[in-house]
Every structure is written in structure tokens, then in C-alpha cells.
Amino acid sequence: MSAILLMLLGLGGMAAGYFFYSRYIAERIYRFDPDFITPAHEYDDGIDYVPTNKFVLWGHHFTSVAGAAPIVGPAIAVIWGWLPAFLWVVFGTVFFAGVHDSGAIWASVRNRALSVGALTGHVVGKRARSIFMIVIFLVLLMVNAVFGVVIARLLMENPGSVLPIWGAIAVALVIGQLIYRFKFNLPLVSLFGVAALYALIYLGPQIPMALPETVGGLSANAAWILILFAYAAIASLLPVWVLLQPRDYINGLQLFVGLILLYSAVAIGNPEIVAPMINHQVPVGTPSIVPLLFVTIACGAISGFHGLVASGTTSKQLNKETDARFVGYFGAVGEGALALAAILAATAGFATLGEWQEVYSGFGQGGVQAFVDGGATILSQGTGISAAVAGTMLTVMAALFAGTTMDTGLRLQRYIFQEFGEIYGIRWLGRPLPATLMAVGCCVLLAFGAGGADGSGGLLIWPLFGTTNQLLAGLTLLVITVMLVRLKRPVWVTLIPLVFLLLMTLAALLIQLNEFYQKKDWFLLSVDLVVLIAAILVTLECISVFRKPTEVEET
């Protein structure tokens, strides 16, 4: 099959979702009010609460949620064939992710920019909030610990990517000053930022950089992980306009330029999809497509982490409530486009079916490397860009978005600890610095406590990320649905996705529970049980609230 046809169908479906379905949701379901005073204005402090141009905020939201996951998930899931992955990405983006992301922003903005965990206590009750916070904490711990490992490995395997990855931070710092301090023209600053990033990408392979094999008695991998956590801690304490916003914004533009190049290469080169539409000869040990497809592809279809970003940082920067449609729904469309690109690269970037089957010889194979290698092949054949530069560009793309997700994730984990401090009256924990140190400490403890001197302990609990993350998405939709019920508005747009997600996720958790038992992996078995019980308890709490006649507060 021609990759062009798949590209046009996918992008066309997502565009139709944004122009038509998101308008219906904005006007008839969430009823965004342009005159509503958002928390960004009400609590403007120049640090976390900052009214932000919707294009800049879209860049923050999009790149914060579009980490390595929308690349990894689809590039693994094509092992079942390209059609199931394609359908879940397109329909998930239109009917699940867009509804979830814009709804989480709306729910938070209407409740003083509370995070989804604190919002659960406000809408449902204190018991549900306490249980929900456990799930949120686990998701953030997984994301931060694992993305540190992912970025460290990319830096080690691709020395040419070191300069552009770290140089992007300097570019972002300059852009933040130009936009907010010197009030420069946004399009002009954007052009400068994108040009600087791509100049760094061009220079990267010519000036490769690498750490020594050992640094202070630590392996290079462990040293990179510590450096990344130190950077993320500093970034999480800086005002959002200094680094977080401009870094996310310029990375968002860089990604779109990269996607345009990749999609243009598909249009010019017209590669054939060599992977099977439905793979009837999956490798031994590959799990059942149902329900595992729906948790393997999370980001790119729907992801609970999006709700944490939407209610954690995005809602505190929303200038007008009506901007939630562009920032939230279109942010989900952007991630869907990235997931679609990952599917094309991992199915049409190979010369033959046999070559593809060699890579996908077992479940879990493919991932980022399949995206980089396949995408580089498509780019070099379609545009004439050298394979080395194309590979560096895609590696930098993956690492930069993993990095922006890690930046936001650690800030969100800091918010969680601050909320713990407020809830339980621990004053010192409510301050930014102690909360940040606690967040970093947990990640480092997992990385080195479970992973040893290599620092790769985050991978230990990664097998549960897909199910826990999708469970979080379902529970976020559940809270939004409770709000809609109390406001006497139509609920089918959130109710159908949440029922589907909860069923798929609970089934996946039960399957994994059996797998961990068979392997005698008592640690993951225990974590799986905690997540499963938490899901059931929060669901029961929310169902009980449906019957209460009181209306949720919207101010």
C-alpha cells in the first residue's frame, strides 16, 4: 500500500476532527466563555501563573505531552499490523485525546487551576482524591525516571545529537528574554529560534560530543542521568516564561518543521508500506492485540499524562478560556500527527518485508530506533538530505520532546508534593525548593536504588506505565463526566471514551497481574495490585457522586 494514501487519510481525519468535532465540544459541551477570568489573570504571579499567547501555550502543552511515548508506542504496536495502530491513533486522537485534553484544561480553569488530583477532591471527595494522588504520583515517577534513561541512551548512542540537544536550552533562554523582556515580534523570534535549532542540528554530526566511559566512578549513562535530573530540577524552579514556555514553544515549531519535512518526503518519494496490514504471523510471545493495543499506544491516541499537564501547568497559563480548544484539542492533533509519522516510518522505512520482520522479531522491538532509522531512510530518499543529518534530526526530535516532557513532569511532581503539603498541613513541603528536592530524590532513588550504579531503575516499573497511564486518562474523564452530570450537560462525549478506556485498562491490568505472578515478579505484582485497587475505588467513589443533587462550583 502507498504511504501517501495512509498519510492523507490520517491527517484528513484529524483535521476534520479539529474543525468540526472540537467546535461542537467547545460550544455545546464545555461551553467555553471568552469573558471568564482565568486563573492566569486572577493569580498572576509571574512564575507559575502567567497569561500566555495561545500559540506559545500550545507549544508548551504540545511538546510537554509529545515526549518519546507517541513515537515508541506506535512504533512497537505495528507488530500487530499497521491498520490497528493507524485506526487507534486517528480515532483516538479525534474522539478520545482531544476531548480529554481540552476537558481537563476546562475543568481545572473552572476550579482555580487545581491539578486533576486536587480537583478530584473538590468534585468527588477527599477519599477519591487521596487514592487518585497515588496513581498520579506513580505515573509521574515512571515518566521522569524512564525519560531520564531514554535521553541518556540517545545522547550516548548519538554523539552528534549532544550539541543540538543542549544548545536548544540556550536558544530557549534567549527566546524567553526576547519575547517577555524585550517584547520582540513573535514571528520574527520564532524564525530565529527555528533557524538556530536547525543550524545546531546541522553542526551536531560535525562536532560529536561524548562523556568519558567513567565520570567520578560512575558510568557515562549514570552521569548523564544525574546531569539531566539536575537540569530538570533547576528548570522546574525557574519562572515558566524564562525556560519552560520558550523551550516548549520553539521545540513545537521544530517538530512541525520536522513533520512537514517527513510528510513531504513521503509525498515526494511515495514509499510502499512493507509491513502487513494485519500481521497474522506475530512472533512467539506477542500478547493479544485486545486489550494490549490500547495501552501500548497511549500518547498519540489518549494519555493520562496529558491531563496532568493540562491541569498542572497549562491551566495556569491560559489567557482566555476559549483558547482551550486550540491549546488542548489541537495539541492532541499535533501529537496524533507525530504518532502517524512514527507508524509511517516504522512500516514504510524498510526495503522489504523480510527486513521489517528482522527488526520486529519479538514484542517490544522497534520503538525509537525504528522511527529514527525508517524516518531517516524516507527523508534521504524523498528530499536528498543525507542519512546522517536526517538521523541526527530525528534523534534530536525524539530527545528534545522527551526532555520537555521531563521538564514539565518534574515541575508537576513538585506541584504534587506541594499539594501533599497543603492537604496534610506540612508547611515546609508546600515550598517550591523542598518539594522539588523531594521529587528529584524519589526519581534518583528509583533510578539508582532499583537500577544499581547504572541508574536505569526507572525501567523496572515501565511495564506498568501503559496501563497506569491509560487508567489515569479514564479517571480524568470520569471526573470531567461528574462535572458535566452536575451541570446537566450531555455526557456521551466523555462517557463513551471513559467506559472503553476503563474496560481495556482493567483487562490489561488483570492480564499483567497473571504475567507477573507466573514470572514471580512480586514487586510489579504488588504495584499492579495497588493500581488496580485504586482504579476500582476511585470509580466507585465517582459513581456514588453521580446520584448527589448538588452542582459543582464553576468559579
Side-chain angles (χ1 to χ4, degrees), residues 372-405:
V372 171
D373 293 342
T377 298
I378 292 172
L379 276 169
S380 61
Q381 291 177 352
T383 64
I385 297 174
S386 73
V389 173
T392 300
M393 184 182 76
L394 294 175
T395 300
V396 170
M397 182 187 295
L400 285 180
F401 294 109
T404 53
T405 299

Side-chain angles (χ1 to χ4, degrees), residues 311-498:
S311 65
T313 55
T314 303
S315 63
K316 294 176 176 62
Q317 302 170 63
L318 198 72
N319 184 39
K320 293 183 179 180
E321 192 176 64
T322 48
D323 291 348
R325 179 187 173 216
F326 180 80
V327 174
Y329 198 103
F330 192 62
V333 169
E335 190 177 54
L338 176 57
L340 177 62
I343 291 172
L344 292 174
T347 57
F350 297 87
T352 64
L353 174 60
E355 185 180 310
W356 181 86
Q357 288 173 331
E358 284 182 18
V359 172
Y360 287 89
S361 58
F363 184 70
Q365 300 300 311
V368 173
Q369 204 57 48
F371 168 74
V372 171
D373 293 342
T377 298
I378 292 172
L379 276 169
S380 61
Q381 291 177 352
T383 64
I385 297 174
S386 73
V389 173
T392 300
M393 184 182 76
L394 294 175
T395 300
V396 170
M397 182 187 295
L400 285 180
F401 294 109
T404 53
T405 299
M406 189 176 172
D407 288 359
T408 302
L410 199 61
R411 185 179 288 260
L412 292 172
Q413 204 164 5
R414 185 251 286 181
Y415 290 164
I416 293 297
F417 275 107
Q418 287 183 272
E419 288 177 356
F420 279 142
E422 293 172 6
I423 291 169
Y424 298 108
I426 308 172
R427 291 187 178 180
W428 64 268
L429 193 56
R431 300 189 187 100
L433 181 58
T436 299
L437 293 176
M438 288 291 291
V440 173
C442 288
C443 294
V444 171
L445 183 62
L446 175 62
F448 290 90
D454 191 45
S456 300
L459 297 176
L460 183 68
I461 59 174
W462 187 248
L464 277 171
F465 171 75
T467 46
T468 308
N469 185 45
Q470 295 302 72
L471 172 64
L472 179 58
L475 296 179
T476 301
L477 285 170
L478 193 54
V479 172
I480 297 170
T481 303
V482 170
M483 288 183 64
L484 292 175
V485 167
R486 290 185 166 193
L487 293 168
K488 297 180 171 56
R489 296 183 188 173
V491 298
W492 64 270
V493 295
T494 57
L495 187 61
I496 293 174
L498 91 84

